[in-house]
Coordinates of all heavy atoms in Angstrom, one line a residue:
M1 N 104.5 42.0 150.4 CA 104.1 43.3 150.8 C 104.8 44.3 149.9 O 106.0 44.3 149.8 CB 104.4 43.5 152.3 CG 103.7 44.7 152.8 SD 104.0 44.9 154.6 CE 102.4 44.5 155.2
I2 N 104.0 45.2 149.3 CA 104.6 46.2 148.4 C 104.8 47.5 149.2 O 104.3 47.6 150.3 CB 103.7 46.4 147.2 CG1 102.3 46.8 147.5 CG2 103.7 45.1 146.3 CD1 101.4 47.1 146.4
A3 N 105.6 48.3 148.6 CA 106.0 49.6 149.3 C 104.8 50.4 149.8 O 104.8 51.0 150.9 CB 106.9 50.4 148.4
S4 N 103.7 50.5 148.9 CA 102.6 51.3 149.3 C 101.9 50.7 150.5 O 101.3 51.4 151.3 CB 101.6 51.4 148.1 OG 101.1 50.2 147.7
D5 N 101.9 49.3 150.6 CA 101.3 48.7 151.8 C 102.0 49.1 153.1 O 101.5 49.3 154.1 CB 101.3 47.2 151.6 CG 100.3 46.7 150.6 OD1 99.4 47.4 150.3 OD2 100.5 45.6 150.1
V6 N 103.4 49.1 153.0 CA 104.2 49.5 154.1 C 103.9 50.9 154.5 O 103.7 51.2 155.7 CB 105.7 49.3 153.8 CG1 106.6 49.9 154.9 CG2 106.0 47.8 153.6
I7 N 103.8 51.8 153.6 CA 103.5 53.2 153.9 C 102.1 53.4 154.5 O 101.9 54.1 155.5 CB 103.6 54.1 152.6 CG1 105.0 54.2 152.1 CG2 103.0 55.5 152.8 CD1 105.2 54.7 150.7
N8 N 101.1 52.6 154.0 CA 99.8 52.7 154.5 C 99.8 52.1 156.0 O 99.1 52.6 156.8 CB 98.8 51.9 153.7 CG 98.5 52.6 152.4 OD1 98.6 53.8 152.3 ND2 98.1 51.8 151.4
L9 N 100.5 51.0 156.2 CA 100.6 50.5 157.5 C 101.2 51.4 158.5 O 100.8 51.6 159.6 CB 101.4 49.1 157.5 CG 101.5 48.4 158.8 CD1 100.1 48.0 159.3 CD2 102.3 47.1 158.6
K10 N 102.3 52.1 158.1 CA 102.9 53.1 159.0 C 102.0 54.3 159.3 O 101.9 54.7 160.4 CB 104.2 53.6 158.3 CG 105.4 52.6 158.3 CD 106.6 53.2 157.7 CE 107.7 52.2 157.7 NZ 108.9 52.7 157.0
A11 N 101.3 54.7 158.3 CA 100.3 55.8 158.5 C 99.2 55.4 159.4 O 98.8 56.1 160.3 CB 99.7 56.2 157.1
F12 N 98.7 54.1 159.3 CA 97.7 53.6 160.2 C 98.3 53.6 161.6 O 97.6 54.0 162.6 CB 97.3 52.2 159.8 CG 96.4 51.5 160.8 CD1 95.1 51.9 160.9 CD2 97.0 50.6 161.6 CE1 94.3 51.2 161.9 CE2 96.2 50.0 162.6 CZ 94.9 50.3 162.7
A13 N 99.5 53.1 161.8 CA 100.1 53.0 163.1 C 100.2 54.3 163.8 O 99.9 54.5 165.0 CB 101.4 52.3 163.1
V14 N 100.6 55.3 163.0 CA 100.8 56.7 163.6 C 99.4 57.2 164.0 O 99.2 57.8 165.1 CB 101.5 57.6 162.6 CG1 101.4 59.0 163.0 CG2 102.9 57.2 162.4
R15 N 98.4 57.0 163.1 CA 97.1 57.5 163.4 C 96.5 56.8 164.6 O 95.8 57.4 165.5 CB 96.2 57.4 162.2 CG 94.8 57.8 162.4 CD 94.7 59.4 162.6 NE 93.4 59.8 162.8 CZ 93.0 60.5 163.9 NH1 93.8 61.0 164.7 NH2 91.7 60.8 164.0
F16 N 96.7 55.5 164.7 CA 96.2 54.7 165.9 C 96.8 55.2 167.2 O 96.1 55.3 168.2 CB 96.5 53.2 165.6 CG 95.9 52.3 166.6 CD1 94.5 52.1 166.7 CD2 96.7 51.6 167.5 CE1 94.0 51.3 167.7 CE2 96.2 50.8 168.5 CZ 94.8 50.6 168.5
V17 N 98.1 55.5 167.2 CA 98.7 56.0 168.4 C 98.2 57.3 168.8 O 97.9 57.6 169.9 CB 100.3 56.0 168.2 CG1 100.9 56.8 169.3 CG2 100.8 54.6 168.1
D18 N 97.9 58.2 167.8 CA 97.3 59.5 168.0 C 95.9 59.3 168.7 O 95.6 60.1 169.6 CB 97.2 60.3 166.7 CG 98.5 60.8 166.2 OD1 99.5 60.8 166.9 OD2 98.5 61.1 165.0
I19 N 95.1 58.4 168.2 CA 93.8 58.2 168.7 C 93.9 57.7 170.1 O 93.2 58.1 171.0 CB 93.0 57.2 167.8 CG1 92.7 57.8 166.5 CG2 91.8 56.7 168.5 CD1 92.2 56.9 165.4
L20 N 94.8 56.8 170.4 CA 95.0 56.2 171.8 C 95.4 57.3 172.7 O 94.9 57.4 173.9 CB 96.0 55.1 171.8 CG 95.5 53.8 171.1 CD1 96.6 52.8 171.2 CD2 94.2 53.3 171.7
E21 N 96.3 58.2 172.3 CA 96.7 59.3 173.1 C 95.5 60.2 173.5 O 95.4 60.7 174.6 CB 97.8 60.1 172.5 CG 99.1 59.4 172.5 CD 100.2 60.1 171.7 OE1 99.9 61.1 171.0 OE2 101.4 59.6 171.7
E22 N 94.7 60.5 172.5 CA 93.5 61.3 172.7 C 92.5 60.6 173.7 O 91.9 61.3 174.6 CB 92.8 61.6 171.4 CG 91.7 62.7 171.5 CD 92.2 64.0 171.9 OE1 93.4 64.4 171.6 OE2 91.4 64.8 172.5
V23 N 92.3 59.3 173.5 CA 91.4 58.6 174.4 C 91.9 58.7 175.8 O 91.2 58.9 176.8 CB 91.3 57.1 174.0 CG1 90.6 56.3 175.0 CG2 90.5 57.0 172.7
K24 N 93.2 58.5 176.0 CA 93.9 58.5 177.3 C 93.7 59.9 177.9 O 93.4 60.1 179.1 CB 95.3 58.1 177.2 CG 96.0 58.0 178.6 CD 97.4 57.4 178.4 CE 98.0 57.3 179.8 NZ 99.4 56.7 179.6
K25 N 94.0 61.0 177.1 CA 93.9 62.3 177.6 C 92.5 62.7 178.1 O 92.4 63.4 179.1 CB 94.4 63.3 176.5 CG 94.4 64.8 176.9 CD 94.7 65.8 175.9 CE 95.4 65.3 174.6 NZ 95.5 66.4 173.6
Q26 N 91.5 62.2 177.4 CA 90.1 62.5 177.7 C 89.6 61.6 178.8 O 88.4 61.6 179.2 CB 89.3 62.5 176.5 CG 89.6 63.6 175.5 CD 88.7 63.6 174.3 OE1 87.6 62.9 174.3 NE2 89.1 64.2 173.3
N27 N 90.4 60.6 179.3 CA 90.1 59.7 180.3 C 88.8 58.9 179.9 O 87.9 58.7 180.7 CB 89.8 60.4 181.6 CG 89.9 59.4 182.8 OD1 90.6 58.4 182.7 ND2 89.2 59.7 183.8
K28 N 88.8 58.4 178.6 CA 87.7 57.7 178.1 C 88.0 56.2 178.2 O 89.2 55.8 178.3 CB 87.4 58.1 176.7 CG 86.8 59.5 176.6 CD 86.3 59.8 175.2 CE 85.7 61.1 175.1 NZ 85.1 61.4 173.8
K29 N 87.0 55.4 178.1 CA 87.2 53.9 178.0 C 86.9 53.4 176.6 O 86.2 54.1 175.8 CB 86.2 53.2 179.0 CG 86.4 53.7 180.4 CD 85.3 53.0 181.3 CE 85.4 53.6 182.7 NZ 84.4 53.0 183.6
I30 N 87.4 52.2 176.3 CA 87.1 51.6 175.0 C 86.3 50.4 175.2 O 86.6 49.5 176.1 CB 88.5 51.2 174.3 CG1 89.3 52.4 174.0 CG2 88.2 50.3 173.1 CD1 90.6 52.1 173.4
L31 N 85.2 50.3 174.5 CA 84.3 49.1 174.5 C 84.8 48.1 173.5 O 85.0 48.4 172.3 CB 82.8 49.5 174.2 CG 81.9 48.4 174.0 CD1 81.6 47.7 175.4 CD2 80.5 48.9 173.5
V32 N 85.1 46.9 174.0 CA 85.5 45.8 173.1 C 84.4 44.8 173.0 O 84.1 44.1 174.0 CB 86.8 45.2 173.7 CG1 87.3 44.1 172.8 CG2 87.9 46.2 173.9
A33 N 83.8 44.8 171.8 CA 82.7 43.8 171.6 C 83.1 42.8 170.5 O 83.9 43.2 169.6 CB 81.5 44.6 171.1
M34 N 82.7 41.6 170.7 CA 83.1 40.5 169.8 C 81.8 40.1 169.0 O 80.7 40.4 169.4 CB 83.7 39.4 170.6 CG 85.0 39.8 171.3 SD 85.3 38.8 172.8 CE 84.1 39.6 173.9
H35 N 82.1 39.3 168.0 CA 81.0 38.8 167.2 C 80.0 37.9 167.9 O 80.4 37.3 169.0 CB 81.5 38.1 165.9 CG 82.4 37.0 166.1 ND1 81.9 35.7 166.5 CD2 83.7 36.8 166.0 CE1 82.9 34.9 166.6 NE2 84.0 35.5 166.3
N36 N 78.8 37.7 167.4 CA 77.8 36.9 168.0 C 78.3 35.4 168.1 O 78.9 34.9 167.2 CB 76.6 37.0 167.1 CG 75.3 36.4 167.8 OD1 75.3 36.2 169.0 ND2 74.3 36.1 167.0
L37 N 78.0 34.8 169.2 CA 78.4 33.4 169.5 C 79.9 33.2 169.3 O 80.4 32.5 168.5 CB 77.6 32.5 168.6 CG 76.1 32.5 168.8 CD1 75.4 31.7 167.7 CD2 75.6 32.2 170.2
L38 N 80.6 34.0 170.1 CA 82.1 34.1 169.9 C 82.8 32.8 170.1 O 82.3 31.9 170.8 CB 82.6 35.2 170.8 CG 82.5 35.0 172.3 CD1 83.8 34.4 172.9 CD2 82.1 36.3 173.0
D39 N 84.0 32.7 169.6 CA 84.8 31.5 169.7 C 86.1 31.9 170.5 O 86.3 33.1 170.9 CB 85.2 30.9 168.3 CG 85.8 32.0 167.4 OD1 86.3 33.0 167.9 OD2 85.8 31.7 166.2
G40 N 87.0 31.0 170.7 CA 88.2 31.2 171.4 C 89.1 32.2 170.8 O 89.8 33.0 171.5
D41 N 89.2 32.2 169.5 CA 90.0 33.2 168.8 C 89.6 34.6 169.1 O 90.4 35.5 169.4 CB 90.1 33.0 167.3 CG 90.8 31.7 166.9 OD1 91.7 31.3 167.7 OD2 90.6 31.2 165.8
A42 N 88.3 34.8 169.0 CA 87.7 36.2 169.2 C 87.9 36.6 170.6 O 88.4 37.8 170.9 CB 86.2 36.2 168.8
F43 N 87.6 35.7 171.6 CA 87.7 36.1 173.0 C 89.2 36.3 173.4 O 89.5 37.3 174.1 CB 87.1 35.1 173.9 CG 86.8 35.6 175.3 CD1 85.9 36.6 175.5 CD2 87.5 35.1 176.3 CE1 85.7 37.1 176.8 CE2 87.3 35.5 177.6 CZ 86.4 36.6 177.8
G44 N 90.1 35.4 172.9 CA 91.5 35.6 173.2 C 92.1 36.8 172.7 O 92.9 37.5 173.3
S45 N 91.7 37.2 171.4 CA 92.2 38.4 170.8 C 91.7 39.6 171.6 O 92.4 40.6 171.8 CB 91.7 38.5 169.4 OG 92.3 37.5 168.6
A46 N 90.4 39.6 172.0 CA 89.8 40.7 172.7 C 90.5 40.9 174.1 O 90.8 42.0 174.5 CB 88.3 40.5 172.9
V47 N 90.8 39.8 174.8 CA 91.5 39.9 176.1 C 92.9 40.4 175.8 O 93.4 41.3 176.6 CB 91.5 38.5 176.7 CG1 92.5 38.5 177.9 CG2 90.2 38.1 177.2
G48 N 93.6 40.0 174.8 CA 94.9 40.5 174.5 C 94.9 42.0 174.2 O 95.7 42.7 174.6
F49 N 93.9 42.5 173.5 CA 93.7 43.9 173.2 C 93.5 44.6 174.5 O 94.1 45.7 174.7 CB 92.6 44.1 172.2 CG 92.4 45.6 171.9 CD1 93.3 46.2 171.0 CD2 91.4 46.3 172.4 CE1 93.1 47.5 170.7 CE2 91.2 47.7 172.1 CZ 92.1 48.3 171.2
C50 N 92.7 44.1 175.4 CA 92.4 44.7 176.7 C 93.7 44.8 177.5 O 94.0 45.9 178.1 CB 91.4 44.0 177.5 SG 89.7 44.1 176.8
L51 N 94.5 43.8 177.5 CA 95.8 43.8 178.2 C 96.7 44.9 177.6 O 97.4 45.6 178.3 CB 96.5 42.4 178.1 CG 95.8 41.4 179.0 CD1 96.4 40.0 178.7 CD2 95.8 41.7 180.4
L52 N 96.8 45.0 176.3 CA 97.6 46.0 175.6 C 97.1 47.4 176.0 O 97.9 48.3 176.4 CB 97.5 45.9 174.1 CG 98.2 46.9 173.3 CD1 99.7 46.9 173.5 CD2 97.9 46.8 171.8
M53 N 95.8 47.6 176.1 CA 95.3 48.9 176.5 C 95.6 49.2 177.9 O 95.9 50.3 178.3 CB 93.8 49.0 176.2 CG 93.3 49.0 174.8 SD 94.0 50.3 173.8 CE 95.4 49.6 173.0
R54 N 95.6 48.2 178.8 CA 96.0 48.4 180.2 C 97.4 48.9 180.3 O 97.7 49.7 181.1 CB 95.8 47.0 180.9 CG 96.2 47.2 182.4 CD 96.1 45.8 183.1 NE 94.8 45.3 183.2 CZ 94.4 44.1 183.5 NH1 95.4 43.2 183.8 NH2 93.2 43.7 183.6
Q55 N 98.3 48.3 179.4 CA 99.7 48.7 179.4 C 99.9 50.2 179.1 O 100.9 50.8 179.6 CB 100.5 47.8 178.5 CG 100.7 46.4 178.9 CD 101.5 46.3 180.2 OE1 102.5 46.9 180.3 NE2 101.0 45.5 181.1
V56 N 99.0 50.7 178.3 CA 99.2 52.1 177.9 C 98.3 53.0 178.7 O 98.1 54.2 178.5 CB 98.9 52.4 176.4 CG1 100.0 51.7 175.6 CG2 97.5 52.0 176.0
G57 N 97.6 52.4 179.7 CA 96.8 53.2 180.7 C 95.4 53.6 180.3 O 94.8 54.5 180.7
I58 N 94.8 52.7 179.4 CA 93.4 53.0 178.9 C 92.6 51.8 179.5 O 92.9 50.6 179.3 CB 93.4 53.0 177.4 CG1 94.2 54.2 176.9 CG2 91.9 53.1 176.9 CD1 94.3 54.3 175.4
E59 N 91.5 52.2 180.1 CA 90.5 51.2 180.6 C 89.6 50.7 179.5 O 89.2 51.5 178.6 CB 89.7 51.8 181.7 CG 88.9 50.8 182.5 CD 88.1 51.4 183.7 OE1 88.5 52.5 184.1 OE2 87.2 50.7 184.2
T60 N 89.3 49.4 179.5 CA 88.5 48.8 178.5 C 87.2 48.2 179.2 O 87.3 47.9 180.4 CB 89.2 47.7 177.7 OG1 89.7 46.7 178.7 CG2 90.3 48.3 176.9
I61 N 86.2 48.0 178.4 CA 85.0 47.3 178.8 C 84.9 46.2 177.8 O 84.7 46.4 176.6 CB 83.8 48.2 178.8 CG1 84.0 49.4 179.8 CG2 82.5 47.4 179.2 CD1 82.9 50.4 179.6
L62 N 84.9 44.9 178.3 CA 84.8 43.7 177.4 C 83.4 43.2 177.5 O 82.9 43.0 178.6 CB 85.8 42.7 177.9 CG 86.0 41.4 177.1 CD1 86.4 41.7 175.7 CD2 87.0 40.6 177.8
T63 N 82.8 43.0 176.3 CA 81.4 42.4 176.3 C 81.3 41.3 175.4 O 81.9 41.2 174.3 CB 80.4 43.5 176.0 OG1 79.1 43.0 176.1 CG2 80.6 44.1 174.6
G64 N 80.5 40.2 175.8 CA 80.3 39.1 175.0 C 78.8 39.1 174.5 O 77.9 39.5 175.2
L65 N 78.6 38.8 173.2 CA 77.3 38.9 172.6 C 76.9 37.5 172.1 O 77.6 37.0 171.2 CB 77.3 39.9 171.4 CG 77.8 41.3 171.8 CD1 78.0 42.1 170.5 CD2 76.8 42.0 172.6
P66 N 75.9 36.9 172.6 CA 75.1 37.3 173.8 C 75.7 36.9 175.1 O 75.3 37.4 176.1 CB 73.8 36.6 173.5 CG 74.2 35.3 172.8 CD 75.4 35.7 172.0
F67 N 76.7 36.0 175.1 CA 77.3 35.5 176.3 C 78.7 35.1 176.1 O 79.1 34.9 174.9 CB 76.5 34.4 177.0 CG 76.4 33.2 176.1 CD1 77.3 32.2 176.2 CD2 75.4 33.1 175.2 CE1 77.3 31.1 175.4 CE2 75.3 31.9 174.4 CZ 76.2 30.9 174.4
V68 N 79.5 34.9 177.1 CA 80.9 34.4 177.0 C 80.8 32.9 177.4 O 80.4 32.6 178.6 CB 81.8 35.1 177.9 CG1 83.2 34.5 177.9 CG2 81.9 36.6 177.6
P69 N 81.2 32.0 176.5 CA 81.2 30.6 176.9 C 82.1 30.3 178.1 O 83.1 30.9 178.3 CB 81.7 29.9 175.7 CG 81.4 30.8 174.5 CD 81.5 32.2 175.1
E70 N 81.6 29.5 179.0 CA 82.3 29.2 180.3 C 83.7 28.8 180.0 O 84.6 29.2 180.8 CB 81.6 28.2 181.1 CG 82.1 28.0 182.5 CD 81.2 27.2 183.4 OE1 80.0 27.0 183.1 OE2 81.8 26.7 184.4
K71 N 84.0 28.0 179.0 CA 85.3 27.5 178.7 C 86.4 28.6 178.4 O 87.6 28.3 178.4 CB 85.3 26.4 177.7 CG 84.9 26.9 176.3 CD 84.8 25.7 175.3 CE 84.3 26.1 174.0 NZ 84.2 24.9 173.1
F72 N 85.9 29.8 178.1 CA 86.8 30.9 177.7 C 86.9 31.9 178.8 O 87.8 32.8 178.8 CB 86.3 31.6 176.5 CG 86.2 30.8 175.3 CD1 85.1 30.9 174.4 CD2 87.1 29.8 175.0 CE1 84.9 30.1 173.3 CE2 86.9 29.0 173.8 CZ 85.9 29.2 173.0
R73 N 86.1 31.9 179.8 CA 86.0 32.9 180.9 C 87.3 33.0 181.6 O 87.7 34.1 182.1 CB 84.9 32.7 181.8 CG 83.5 32.8 181.2 CD 82.4 32.5 182.1 NE 81.2 32.6 181.3 CZ 80.0 32.2 181.8 NH1 79.9 31.7 183.0 NH2 78.9 32.3 181.0
F74 N 88.1 31.9 181.8 CA 89.3 32.0 182.6 C 90.3 33.0 182.0 O 91.1 33.6 182.7 CB 90.0 30.6 182.6 CG 90.7 30.2 181.4 CD1 92.0 30.4 181.2 CD2 90.0 29.6 180.3 CE1 92.7 30.0 180.1 CE2 90.6 29.2 179.2 CZ 92.0 29.4 179.0
L75 N 90.3 33.2 180.7 CA 91.2 34.2 180.1 C 91.0 35.6 180.6 O 92.0 36.2 180.9 CB 91.0 34.2 178.5 CG 91.3 33.0 177.8 CD1 90.8 33.1 176.3 CD2 92.8 32.8 177.8
A76 N 89.8 36.0 180.8 CA 89.5 37.3 181.4 C 89.8 37.3 182.9 O 90.4 38.2 183.4 CB 88.1 37.7 181.1
L77 N 89.3 36.3 183.6 CA 89.4 36.2 185.0 C 90.8 36.2 185.5 O 91.2 36.9 186.5 CB 88.6 35.0 185.5 CG 87.1 35.0 185.3 CD1 86.4 33.7 185.7 CD2 86.4 36.2 186.0
R78 N 91.7 35.4 184.9 CA 93.1 35.3 185.3 C 93.8 36.6 185.0 O 94.9 36.8 185.6 CB 93.8 34.2 184.5 CG 93.4 32.8 185.0 CD 94.2 31.8 184.4 NE 93.8 30.4 184.8 CZ 94.2 29.3 184.3 NH1 95.0 29.3 183.3 NH2 93.8 28.2 184.8
N79 N 93.3 37.4 184.2 CA 94.0 38.7 183.9 C 93.2 39.9 184.5 O 93.5 41.0 184.1 CB 94.1 38.9 182.4 CG 95.1 37.9 181.8 OD1 96.3 38.0 182.0 ND2 94.6 36.9 181.0
S80 N 92.3 39.6 185.4 CA 91.5 40.6 186.1 C 90.8 41.6 185.1 O 90.8 42.8 185.3 CB 92.4 41.4 187.1 OG 92.9 40.5 188.0
I81 N 90.3 41.0 184.0 CA 89.6 41.8 183.0 C 88.1 41.6 183.2 O 87.6 40.5 183.0 CB 90.0 41.5 181.6 CG1 91.5 41.8 181.4 CG2 89.1 42.2 180.6 CD1 92.0 41.4 180.1
P82 N 87.3 42.6 183.6 CA 85.9 42.4 183.8 C 85.2 42.2 182.4 O 85.6 42.9 181.5 CB 85.4 43.6 184.5 CG 86.4 44.7 184.2 CD 87.7 43.9 184.0
Y83 N 84.2 41.4 182.4 CA 83.5 41.2 181.1 C 82.0 41.3 181.4 O 81.6 41.0 182.5 CB 83.8 40.0 180.4 CG 83.5 38.7 181.1 CD1 82.3 38.1 181.0 CD2 84.5 38.1 181.9 CE1 82.0 36.9 181.7 CE2 84.2 37.0 182.6 CZ 82.9 36.4 182.5 OH 82.7 35.2 183.2
Y84 N 81.2 41.6 180.5 CA 79.8 41.8 180.6 C 79.1 41.0 179.5 O 79.6 40.9 178.4 CB 79.3 43.2 180.6 CG 80.0 44.0 181.6 CD1 81.2 44.7 181.3 CD2 79.5 44.1 182.9 CE1 81.9 45.4 182.3 CE2 80.2 44.8 183.9 CZ 81.4 45.5 183.6 OH 82.0 46.2 184.6
E85 N 78.0 40.4 179.8 CA 77.2 39.6 178.8 C 75.9 40.2 178.6 O 75.3 40.7 179.6 CB 77.1 38.2 179.4 CG 78.4 37.5 179.6 CD 78.2 36.2 180.3 OE1 77.7 36.1 181.4 OE2 78.7 35.2 179.8
T86 N 75.4 40.3 177.4 CA 74.1 40.8 177.1 C 73.0 39.9 177.4 O 71.9 40.3 177.7 CB 74.0 41.2 175.6 OG1 74.3 40.1 174.8 CG2 75.0 42.4 175.3
F87 N 73.3 38.6 177.5 CA 72.3 37.5 177.8 C 73.1 36.4 178.6 O 73.4 35.4 178.0 CB 71.7 37.0 176.5 CG 70.6 36.0 176.8 CD1 69.4 36.4 177.3 CD2 70.8 34.6 176.6 CE1 68.4 35.5 177.5 CE2 69.8 33.7 176.8 CZ 68.6 34.2 177.3
P88 N 73.4 36.7 179.8 CA 74.2 35.7 180.6 C 73.4 34.4 180.8 O 72.2 34.4 181.0 CB 74.4 36.4 182.0 CG 73.6 37.6 182.0 CD 73.1 37.9 180.6
L89 N 74.1 33.3 180.7 CA 73.6 32.0 180.9 C 73.5 31.8 182.4 O 74.3 32.3 183.2 CB 74.4 30.9 180.3 CG 74.5 31.0 178.7 CD1 75.4 29.9 178.2 CD2 73.1 30.9 178.1
A90 N 72.6 31.0 182.8 CA 72.5 30.6 184.3 C 73.7 29.9 184.7 O 74.2 29.0 184.0 CB 71.2 29.8 184.5
Q91 N 74.2 30.2 185.9 CA 75.4 29.5 186.4 C 75.1 28.1 186.9 O 74.1 27.9 187.5 CB 76.1 30.4 187.5 CG 76.6 31.7 186.9 CD 77.7 31.5 185.9 OE1 78.5 30.7 186.1 NE2 77.7 32.4 184.9

């Protein structure tokens, strides 16, 4: 990592925190959408992001496109994170 990368990363982090503070102040929610036919990495990362946002007091909406595979659903359920599917599969 070169010095300019570190400066850019710091600038990004500061701006990201500013955006989160504005979202929280306006009492807005963040929609977390994952790629089509998601895998465990995508869903696990999305759940982790939702948990991080919960820690800073921001509500999230998690959505699976077109659905969340059953084998990954426990990640959201165990952490009380609601998720929505655009094309839910029959249970």
